[in-house]
Amino acid sequence: MGAVAESTLSRLRADFPILDREINGHSLVYLDSAASSQKPRQVIEAMDSFYAHSYGTVHRGVYELGREATELFEGARERIAAFVNWDSDLSIFTRNATEAINLVAYAWGRGNLGPGDEVLITEMEHHSNIVPWQLACEDTGAKLRYLSVPESGELSLDELDAVLAEGRVRLVAVGHVSNVLGTINPVEEIARRARAAGALTLVDGAQSVPQMPVDLRAIDADFYAWTGHKALGPTVGMLHGRRELLKEMRPFLGGGHMISRVEREHSTWNELPWKFEAGTNAIAEAIGLGAAVDYLAAAGMDAVRAHERELTAYALERLPEVAGITLYGPRDVDRRGGVVPFTIEGMHPHDIAELCDREAVCVRAGHHCAQPLMRVLGVGATARASFHVYNTRDDVDRLVHALNGAREVFGL
Amino acid sequence: MGAVAESTLSRLRADFPILDREINGHSLVYLDSAASSQKPRQVIEAMDSFYAHSYGTVHRGVYELGREATELFEGARERIAAFVNWDSDLSIFTRNATEAINLVAYAWGRGNLGPGDEVLITEMEHHSNIVPWQLACEDTGAKLRYLSVPESGELSLDELDAVLAEGRVRLVAVGHVSNVLGTINPVEEIARRARAAGALTLVDGAQSVPQMPVDLRAIDADFYAWTGHKALGPTVGMLHGRRELLKEMRPFLGGGHMISRVEREHSTWNELPWKFEAGTNAIAEAIGLGAAVDYLAAAGMDAVRAHERELTAYALERLPEVAGITLYGPRDVDRRGGVVPFTIEGMHPHDIAELCDREAVCVRAGHHCAQPLMRVLGVGATARASFHVYNTRDDVDRLVHALNGAREVFGL
Amino acid sequence: MDALYRDYILDHYKNPRNFGELDPHDLEWHDHNPLCGDELGVHIVVKDGRVADLRFHGQGCAISQAAASITSEELIGLPVEEVAGLDADWVIDQLGIEISPTRRKCALLGLKVMRGATTGDASWPE
Amino acid sequence: MDALYRDYILDHYKNPRNFGELDPHDLEWHDHNPLCGDELGVHIVVKDGRVADLRFHGQGCAISQAAASITSEELIGLPVEEVAGLDADWVIDQLGIEISPTRRKCALLGLKVMRGATTGDASWPE
Ligand SMILES: Cc1ncc(COP(=O)(O)O)c(C=O)c1O
Ligand SMILES: Cc1ncc(COP(=O)(O)O)c(C=O)c1O
């Protein structure tokens, strides 16, 4: 099955112009898609053609360019919403996933949290799903709590239940897929249990939407945030929310387009989703993300997931050949996404990444915006390889080769 | 001089691919640059080439793509900051001007305003410089006040002094150039008087930076916000601020990249400007804006301003030929930017814009995100023509022709 | 002849039927189109469960004013409860012109306020 | 031979000089590199206005550890007030390798904390 998945998707490599690059005499092996993915020419061209043929602002221009821009922009919103199975008028364009989470932390959090309330996150969250809640708790007097991450890299639903049973949790904010460990969290189950305990759920889908089928109706969380630049698109984020909540919530950013009527002292708000889109939108970027989800849908998200799973399995098989390596995250590739964090005894991740770069193998080194998780793992930093449709088993071979070469440089 | 300005810049038209478009058998006349400008191929290509050759995230990638991306991105920041004569580490990339103003309204406003304090804006502000202050005043108990806009379309510094003398104003938030009237406000003088009265000044430069030389050190305001998409660039905003203020202010959005250290309960912040840039930046767009300011600097902002002035003068000369027309804004073209609002007796602005579109002349109709100003002018809406480097006197002739044709359709 | 600005559309715009106010009235409603700022109010007098009289007032483009005028003519005499059943297609049918997505809300504002007055439903007709 | 990971760099990394803690000590400082999370602390004993002894501790990449080790050797014996005058170029000179912008902060972290301990200045060396 793995081999099938790879051969099916391997034709897609030709769509990514950057893969033609050579660095230090080697062809590019890009293994940092969990940070940001490369873009296929279909996405780049969708934006170009918008700029070259139809550019205009949306919703207000009575003229033809304005009409075309509006159709392209709102059409993209519809396809993006359909891609994750949610209503398009409940699907808000944001700056990135970070802003989407901050939107909820400000517009819902400031109005709904107070002393005695708790926000529950996990030790494997990305800073973008930690810091907004720290700030919101500071402002409201609510308390921030963490679900622990055990050795297995998998959350305990029993611990969740125990915390929920105390009755103070107002919101559970959890990543769908960890950007470090790759853990696929049971967000559907988490949302169900949270709701039963009277708490809302926000899911950070920054790592999930790019690499697996995501059905928001099935997950049934209250908020779901993700980011286009990891999903083959440009830098634009999405927030999907439940209608009643988005209706009740106060706006976040104030300005043009999000209003209905502006009086001197106060204003009334536009309909959803525009109530939460203040100022001129990233129109070209939304259109680019529309092209990206078209591209992913055509590839088939099941095939994308199979491809990621296959490459992860292959990496987990081959990387132990490197002496002194430690791998992190769940062992079961059915429970993890396409990311493999590792350390090598005697070599700091920074140096690993630097030496991989000599062979044009791009891996990340650092805390991956997850400092609390690094402390749980007992490391200052890790190296990390992550995959997308354009990666192949050969890329994993190149990584292993580069790592062995790095050990040699270090005289290990 | 006008003729010189036009002939100097007319060679630039060829740089804008969209101007090759025909609509309804007519070549495109784009007169809505105050809403958003078109993009020269240099800007589109800068983003394309980034995506096709160097795409990566910034600041963290040890590998070559990350290095190139960081250099391109931070290099763009430096050139953008230099373009308006400000320090690059005090120049923050935002989503758009609206978010830049909200950043100040949240990060400075929530921490510094309280009952008894006043925020002073003007009746000619764009909604993006009104609504954030309404929300901030609601949250803090401060009061929102307006400087009036008299018939002349020009603010009264005496009124400003009188309000400041009451001693309650903590912040004056004022547009540099009105997006409706075109009025160029004396922001340097306003900032000086505000400071003398112990108030800060925020200038909304969304309409000024695109069309005239702007020297932030000369203006010497505390905050200056603008937006790339009106300045031949893509959708990314800028906030420039004074060092002491940005240092003291709490962050606005929390998340990746804006932190120094994330503990479980609280975090410490990154250095400026990154403290205010949470999550993955609009990297390609920042690079695109860098290309846009290079383009504008090469054209010469004095020449751009002369060109806008010349076209505005020509429009103010020719438009009165249209029977029943009323023009708004200062009469003196030295005191107004390249935007001309108008109404025609017996024809609603919406219908004017629709009929202009038949001849591929793009003008805007509506309240232009300035409902309070519309009430002051005593109209529900206006039509508006606005210019940029790619416009010519011929475009103005085409507008006059379209307006006369529109009157005919309406049997006027 | 212009496909959008037909003679009868311009006639309704320039000489709107049932334009003005009604005092006293039984029902009233007021709304606006946030995109362009057009305003429309309506006063309705009800007799025997029917729209006995109706006046609208406000400002807007030719399409919104003509649509309100035409809609008003159709509404007078109608059983009040039937107003709830009128929808966007009905308005556009009555107008007899092609309405682009950009102008759709202009065309629907009249029915929106008249339906609001009779049903309390503040949503846009679909 | 590798241009960055020279033998003496790797030697300083694997066998850092003056690594550890000093108790008691007169001066101390602690800081980290926010980009990669590297941590570095320093203890200094002062005698007659000079750095009489110095130990650093923490974790980091080869560049940051080697730079701290090399810097520590240079500092011991120096008049305390002269530490303030050491700058980024000085560190990079001592290292004797080319430092890319990405690795610059790695190379400077050692001097940063040692300068911090002697001057209270928490900024990055320029
Ligand atoms: C005067 C003025 N201020 C602020 C803005 C808001 O800019 P943006 O929509 O890019 O946030 C605009 C344009 O829309 C404007 O004309
Ligand atoms: C799990 C997770 N959440 C949130 C984010 C933030 O996404 P963005 O930087 O686009 O806001 C990221 C990536 O940076 C991530 O991996």
Side-chain angles (χ1 to χ4, degrees):
Chain A
M1 164 198 182
V4 175
E6 172 153 344
S7 63
T8 313
L9 292 185
S10 60
R11 70 187 144 77
L12 302 185
R13 277 182 66 83
D15 292 331
F16 292 80
I18 204 165
L19 298 181
D20 293 340
R21 252 198 89 158
E22 294 215 336
I23 290 175
N24 305 324
H26 302 275
S27 64
L28 183 68
V29 173
Y30 186 75
L31 293 175
D32 198 15
S33 296
S36 196
S37 68
Q38 297 299 339
K39 323 299 172 203
R41 86 191 135 62
Q42 289 84 340
V43 167
I44 303 172
E45 282 167 10
M47 296 191 281
D48 279 4
S49 121
F50 174 57
Y51 281 129
H53 300 295
S54 309
Y55 185 76
T57 56
V58 296
H59 294 304
R60 313 238 154 186
V62 179
Y63 47 80
E64 177 61 19
L65 295 181
R67 266 194 296 277
E68 289 177 17
T70 305
E71 267 166 43
L72 289 166
F73 175 71
E74 292 298 339
R77 189 199 304 275
E78 275 166 31
R79 278 150 33 235
I80 293 164
F83 182 69
V84 292
N85 195 22
W86 201 246
D87 292 340
S88 82
D89 67 329
L90 307 177
S91 298
I92 297 159
F93 285 115
T94 63
R95 178 179 176 161
N96 48 27
T98 303
E99 197 194 52
I101 296 170
N102 278 275
L103 191 165
V104 178
Y106 275 101
W108 178 84
R110 265 48 171 199
N112 288 278
L113 293 172
D117 292 336
E118 292 178 354
V119 173
L120 181 62
I121 64 175
T122 86
E123 290 177 341
M124 69 171 90
E125 296 314 307
H126 186 279
H127 292 163
S128 292
N129 202 24
I130 300 175
V131 183
W133 305 116
Q134 290 181 338
L135 294 173
C137 287
E138 240 178 73
D139 281 355
T140 61
K143 197 179 148 197
L144 187 63
R145 287 185 67 171
Y146 288 78
L147 281 184
S148 65
V149 173
E151 256 269 58
S152 67
E154 301 191 70
L155 300 174
S156 151
L157 290 173
D158 290 341
E159 189 187 347
L160 171 70
D161 284 341
V163 178
L164 289 174
E166 296 174 25
R168 285 185 297 268
V169 175
R170 298 290 314 277
L171 176 82
V172 180
V174 58
H176 195 163
V177 172
S178 161
N179 67 312
V180 179
L181 302 173
T183 317
I184 301 176
N185 288 314
V187 289
E188 188 171 334
E189 191 55 32
I190 292 172
R192 206 181 59 71
R193 295 183 189 207
R195 175 155 310 133
L200 301 183
T201 304
L202 175 143
V203 178
D204 170 3
Q207 294 293 339
S208 46
V209 176
Q211 60 168 312
M212 55 177 63
V214 169
D215 180 340
L216 294 195
R217 274 187 234 285
I219 293 169
D220 205 22
D222 299 283
F223 299 104
Y224 196 99
W226 58 287
T227 198
H229 68 91
K230 299 187 204 264
L232 312 188
T235 310
V236 63
M238 295 301 306
L239 177 68
H240 308 279
R242 200 178 282 288
R243 186 176 304 279
E244 317 82 75
L245 288 165
L246 294 179
K247 273 196 159 175
E248 275 164 28
M249 274 155 61
R250 194 178 185 224
F252 170 42
L253 303 176
H257 304 256
M258 52 69 76
I259 55 87
S260 170
R261 181 192 286 273
V262 176
E263 308 283 355
R264 291 173 78 98
E265 308 299 327
H266 64 271
S267 300
T268 56
W269 317 126
N270 200 344
E271 295 161 37
L272 294 173
W274 306 295
K275 172 181 166 185
F276 291 104
E277 294 178 354
T280 304
N281 258 305
I283 305 169
E285 290 73 16
I287 291 168
L289 185 56
V293 303
D294 292 347
Y295 186 89
L296 286 168
M301 287 310 292
D302 285 321
V304 171
R305 167 67 187 139
H307 179 80
E308 300 268 356
R309 190 184 163 289
E310 144 77 6
L311 286 180
T312 306
Y314 186 61
L316 293 179
E317 178 190 320
R318 289 231 45 205
L319 283 170
E321 292 171 24
V322 179
I325 202 166
T326 304
L327 302 175
Y328 304 85
R331 292 278 157 260
D332 180 351
V333 288
D334 284 333
R335 293 162 171 244
R336 69 187 286 166
V339 54
V340 181
F342 60 93
T343 52
I344 296 177
E345 181 71 34
M347 220 180 342
H348 187 277
H350 248 202
D351 299 311
I352 297 174
E354 175 101 33
L355 288 165
C356 284
D357 183 50
R358 306 270 176 93
E359 302 187 10
V361 174
C362 308
V363 295
R364 175 134 308 213
H367 52 62
H368 315 293
C369 298
Q371 291 179 8
L373 178 61
M374 292 296 117
R375 286 183 208 113
V376 170
L377 298 179
V379 295
T382 78
R384 182 185 76 180
S386 55
F387 312 113
H388 216 295
V389 290
Y390 35 74
N391 292 115
T392 62
R393 290 161 76 103
D394 186 49
D395 292 347
V396 176
D397 297 337
R398 293 270 304 274
L399 170 63
V400 171
H401 183 269
L403 293 177
N404 284 325
R407 293 188 78 256
E408 258 169 55
V409 170
F410 265 58
L412 295 174
Chain B
M1 164 201 182
V4 176
E6 174 155 340
S7 61
T8 314
L9 292 185
S10 60
R11 71 189 145 75
L12 301 184
R13 278 181 65 84
D15 292 330
F16 292 80
I18 205 166
L19 297 181
D20 293 340
R21 252 198 89 157
E22 293 216 338
I23 290 174
N24 305 324
H26 302 276
S27 64
L28 184 68
V29 174
Y30 186 74
L31 294 175
D32 198 14
S33 296
S36 198
S37 68
Q38 297 298 340
K39 322 299 172 204
R41 84 188 139 63
Q42 288 84 342
V43 167
I44 303 171
E45 283 167 10
M47 295 191 282
D48 279 6
S49 117
F50 174 57
Y51 282 128
H53 300 295
S54 310
Y55 185 76
T57 56
V58 297
H59 294 304
R60 310 239 158 189
V62 179
Y63 47 78
E64 176 62 18
L65 295 181
R67 266 194 295 276
E68 288 177 17
T70 305
E71 265 167 43
L72 289 166
F73 175 71
E74 292 298 340
R77 189 199 304 273
E78 274 167 30
R79 276 145 40 231
I80 293 163
F83 182 69
V84 292
N85 195 21
W86 201 245
D87 291 341
S88 81
D89 67 330
L90 307 176
S91 297
I92 298 158
F93 286 114
T94 64
R95 178 180 178 161
N96 49 28
T98 302
E99 196 192 53
I101 297 170
N102 277 274
L103 191 166
V104 178
Y106 275 100
W108 178 84
R110 265 52 169 196
N112 288 278
L113 293 172
D117 292 336
E118 292 178 354
V119 173
L120 181 63
I121 64 174
T122 86
E123 289 178 343
M124 68 171 91
E125 295 314 306
H126 187 279
H127 292 164
S128 292
N129 201 24
I130 300 176
V131 183
W133 305 115
Q134 290 181 337
L135 294 172
C137 286
E138 242 177 74
D139 281 354
T140 60
K143 198 178 149 203
L144 187 62
R145 287 185 68 172
Y146 287 78
L147 281 185
S148 65
V149 173
E151 256 270 59
S152 67
E154 303 192 69
L155 300 173
S156 151
L157 290 173
D158 290 342
E159 190 187 346
L160 171 70
D161 284 340
V163 178
L164 289 174
E166 295 175 26
R168 284 185 298 269
V169 176
R170 297 289 314 277
L171 176 82
V172 179
V174 59
H176 196 163
V177 173
S178 161
N179 68 313
V180 179
L181 301 173
T183 317
I184 301 175
N185 288 314
V187 289
E188 187 172 333
E189 190 55 32
I190 292 172
R192 206 179 60 72
R193 294 184 190 207
R195 176 154 310 135
L200 300 183
T201 304
L202 174 144
V203 177
D204 170 2
Q207 295 293 337
S208 46
V209 176
Q211 61 168 313
M212 56 177 62
V214 169
D215 180 339
L216 295 194
R217 275 188 229 286
I219 293 169
D220 205 21
D222 298 284
F223 299 106
Y224 197 98
W226 57 287
T227 198
H229 67 92
K230 300 186 203 264
L232 312 187
T235 309
V236 63
M238 296 302 304
L239 177 67
H240 308 279
R242 199 179 285 286
R243 186 176 304 279
E244 316 82 75
L245 289 165
L246 294 179
K247 274 197 157 173
E248 276 163 28
M249 274 156 60
R250 198 184 183 217
F252 170 41
L253 304 176
H257 304 258
M258 51 70 74
I259 54 87
S260 170
R261 180 191 288 273
V262 176
E263 308 283 355
R264 291 172 78 99
E265 309 298 327
H266 65 270
S267 300
T268 55
W269 317 125
N270 201 343
E271 295 161 36
L272 293 174
W274 308 294
K275 170 180 167 186
F276 292 103
E277 293 179 356
T280 305
N281 257 304
I283 307 170
E285 291 73 14
I287 292 168
L289 185 56
V293 303
D294 290 348
Y295 185 90
L296 286 168
M301 287 310 292
D302 284 321
V304 172
R305 167 65 188 141
H307 180 80
E308 300 268 356
R309 189 184 165 289
E310 145 77 7
L311 286 180
T312 306
Y314 186 61
L316 292 179
E317 177 191 320
R318 288 232 45 205
L319 284 169
E321 291 170 24
V322 180
I325 203 166
T326 304
L327 302 174
Y328 303 86
R331 291 279 155 263
D332 180 351
V333 288
D334 285 331
R335 294 164 171 240
R336 69 186 285 167
V339 53
V340 180
F342 59 93
T343 53
I344 296 175
E345 180 73 33
M347 220 182 340
H348 188 277
H350 247 203
D351 299 310
I352 296 174
E354 175 100 34
L355 288 165
C356 284
D357 183 49
R358 306 272 175 91
E359 302 187 8
V361 175
C362 308
V363 295
R364 175 132 306 211
H367 51 61
H368 315 294
C369 298
Q371 290 180 7
L373 178 61
M374 292 295 117
R375 287 184 205 113
V376 169
L377 298 178
V379 296
T382 78
R384 181 186 75 179
S386 55
F387 313 111
H388 216 294
V389 289
Y390 35 73
N391 292 115
T392 61
R393 290 161 76 106
D394 186 49
D395 291 346
V396 175
D397 296 337
R398 292 270 304 276
L399 171 63
V400 171
H401 184 269
L403 293 176
N404 284 325
R407 293 189 78 256
E408 259 169 53
V409 171
F410 266 58
L412 295 174
Chain C
M1 211 196 44
D2 197 280
L4 184 63
Y5 299 106
R6 308 241 166 165
D7 287 346
Y8 63 91
I9 296 285
L10 289 174
D11 180 47
H12 273 279
Y13 171 55
K14 293 179 186 171
N15 310 296
R17 324 301 193 252
N18 308 309
F19 191 86
E21 315 207 353
L22 275 179
D23 277 309
H25 51 261
D26 300 302
L27 305 172
E28 64 169 54
W29 200 258
H30 185 269
D31 210 336
H32 70 290
N33 179 347
L35 290 189
C36 50
D38 288 357
E39 305 264 350
L40 218 69
V42 66
H43 291 164
I44 295 179
V45 170
V46 180
K47 220 183 241 161
D48 302 333
R50 286 179 185 268
V51 177
D53 206 357
L54 179 162
R55 293 283 186 286
F56 75 93
H57 43 269
Q59 52 173 351
C61 65
I63 306 302
S64 82
Q65 296 295 295
S69 174
I70 290 170
T71 306
S72 76
E73 288 193 310
E74 297 301 317
L75 251 64
I76 293 176
L78 218 64
V80 170
E81 62 203 14
E82 281 183 26
V83 178
L86 304 177
D87 62 5
D89 286 348
W90 175 84
V91 175
I92 289 164
D93 246 29
Q94 297 296 322
L95 276 173
I97 49 177
E98 231 191 90
I99 294 292
S100 72
T102 340
R103 303 306 290 272
R104 196 174 157 86
K105 291 202 165 172
C106 305
L108 299 180
L109 183 60
L111 178 60
K112 182 175 201 261
V113 296
M114 295 174 200
R115 208 179 59 171
T118 56
T119 65
D121 176 3
S123 65
W124 285 93
E126 301 260 317
Chain D
M1 211 196 46
D2 197 280
L4 185 62
Y5 299 106
R6 309 242 164 161
D7 288 344
Y8 63 92
I9 296 285
L10 289 174
D11 179 50
H12 274 280
Y13 171 56
K14 292 179 187 173
N15 310 296
R17 321 305 191 252
N18 307 309
F19 191 86
E21 316 207 351
L22 274 180
D23 276 311
H25 52 260
D26 301 302
L27 305 172
E28 64 169 55
W29 200 257
H30 185 269
D31 209 335
H32 70 291
N33 179 349
L35 290 188
C36 51
D38 289 355
E39 305 264 351
L40 218 69
V42 67
H43 292 163
I44 295 179
V45 170
V46 180
K47 219 181 243 166
D48 302 330
R50 287 180 185 266
V51 176
D53 206 357
L54 179 160
R55 293 282 186 288
F56 76 93
H57 43 270
Q59 51 173 352
C61 62
I63 307 302
S64 82
Q65 297 294 296
S69 173
I70 291 170
T71 306
S72 75
E73 289 195 309
E74 298 300 319
L75 252 62
I76 294 177
L78 218 61
V80 170
E81 61 204 15
E82 280 184 27
V83 178
L86 304 177
D87 61 7
D89 286 346
W90 176 83
V91 174
I92 289 164
D93 246 30
Q94 297 295 323
L95 277 172
I97 49 178
E98 231 190 273
I99 294 292
S100 72
T102 342
R103 302 307 290 275
R104 197 174 157 84
K105 289 202 166 170
C106 307
L108 299 181
L109 184 60
L111 178 60
K112 184 175 198 260
V113 295
M114 296 175 199
R115 207 178 60 171
T118 55
T119 65
D121 176 3
S123 64
W124 285 93
E126 303 258 317

